[in-house]
Amino acid sequence: MNERGFTLVELMATILIIGVVMAVTIPNVTGIFNQGKLTTYGEDAKKLRNTAEYLYRGDSSIDRLVDNGDCIVFSFKYLDNDEFKPPYGGYYLDTKSFVVVKKENNRLRYFVQLLEFLPEGGVRGYKLTDVLNLDGSGYMDKIGEFNDANSFVDVDLYKDAANRNNLKSSGNFTSVGIGCSNINRVYTP
């Protein structure tokens, strides 16, 4: 009987090869999963935009934008948001996530801010972004990770501006950078 097993050198070489393959493969696989999670922000932002457009175009109770520079705001809570599941297990911030519809050159432009409060703290998502920037390959570059949610514009600031009907009196709007000359209305539940 000639029973010959593997030598210690052969076993160690096999383990080394398996280790090298795993070292190369595991980071790539986890990177793919993470990229899939980040893609969720873009898809959810587009869904928010589409929901706002559907409401604006189909609901006769929604105010119409008359003049260039006029804007209306739909809060995250106002839009039917039951289907939105943040990718990292946190929750979307209701007052910090919204859609701004702006009339510009007699066309409508949509801006979305969508922010997830993360379970471990901090915020991740889109700071107020033109929805046109969410198409193509560069939209993932727009996703940011932030330490503090308080630095973001929220729906209450828009409501205040709409109530005063004067954006210029609110100095915080200079940082928004979307150029609304008038907030016609803010839709919140």
Side-chain angles (χ1 to χ4, degrees):
M1 291 187 143
N2 189 4
E3 291 185 30
R4 185 169 173 238
F6 293 104
T7 66
L8 183 60
V9 172
E10 291 171 328
L11 287 173
M12 288 181 67
T14 304
I15 291 172
L16 179 69
I17 290 170
I18 291 172
V20 168
V21 168
M22 287 179 61
V24 170
T25 306
I26 289 175
N28 289 337
V29 170
T30 55
I32 290 169
F33 285 130
N34 191 40
Q35 187 171 2
K37 286 182 175 185
L38 292 175
T39 302
T40 302
Y41 290 122
E43 297 307 315
D44 283 353
K46 289 176 189 176
K47 281 193 272 187
L48 273 179
R49 179 244 189 240
N50 291 341
T51 303
E53 181 179 22
Y54 177 77
L55 280 173
Y56 180 81
R57 295 187 188 278
D59 188 341
S60 60
S61 67
I62 303 291
D63 291 351
R64 298 295 158 220
L65 299 172
V66 177
D67 297 321
N68 284 321
D70 284 357
C71 294
I72 57 174
V73 179
F74 293 101
S75 71
F76 182 74
K77 243 181 175 171
Y78 184 82
L79 300 170
D80 185 18
N81 59 22
D82 291 338
E83 66 185 67
F84 295 99
K85 303 290 183 235
Y88 288 94
Y91 58 90
Y92 285 128
L93 297 167
D94 289 336
T95 62
K96 305 282 186 187
S97 299
F98 52 85
V99 177
V100 177
V101 183
K102 177 185 177 193
K103 186 168 187 178
E104 182 175 284
N105 298 324
N106 294 318
R107 301 180 84 189
L108 297 178
R109 285 183 67 192
Y110 296 85
F111 300 86
V112 175
Q113 180 164 288
L114 183 64
L115 299 172
E116 176 186 7
F117 184 78
L118 302 170
E120 65 274 5
V123 178
R124 183 179 292 138
Y126 287 112
K127 201 170 181 177
L128 197 58
T129 303
D130 188 338
V131 174
L132 294 176
N133 293 334
L134 300 179
D135 290 329
S137 61
Y139 76 94
M140 300 238 328
D141 299 337
K142 305 276 185 232
I143 297 172
E145 195 162 326
F146 313 97
N147 294 327
D148 184 17
N150 293 325
S151 63
F152 293 98
V153 173
D154 64 18
V155 171
D156 292 332
L157 181 63
Y158 281 101
K159 276 201 266 186
D160 181 51
N163 290 339
R164 288 186 283 158
N165 203 15
N166 181 4
L167 285 177
K168 293 180 178 70
S169 63
S170 177
N172 292 333
F173 262 83
T174 57
S175 64
V176 175
I178 61 174
C180 292
S181 57
N182 185 40
I183 300 290
N184 291 17
R185 185 154 176 207
V186 177
Y187 291 92
T188 58

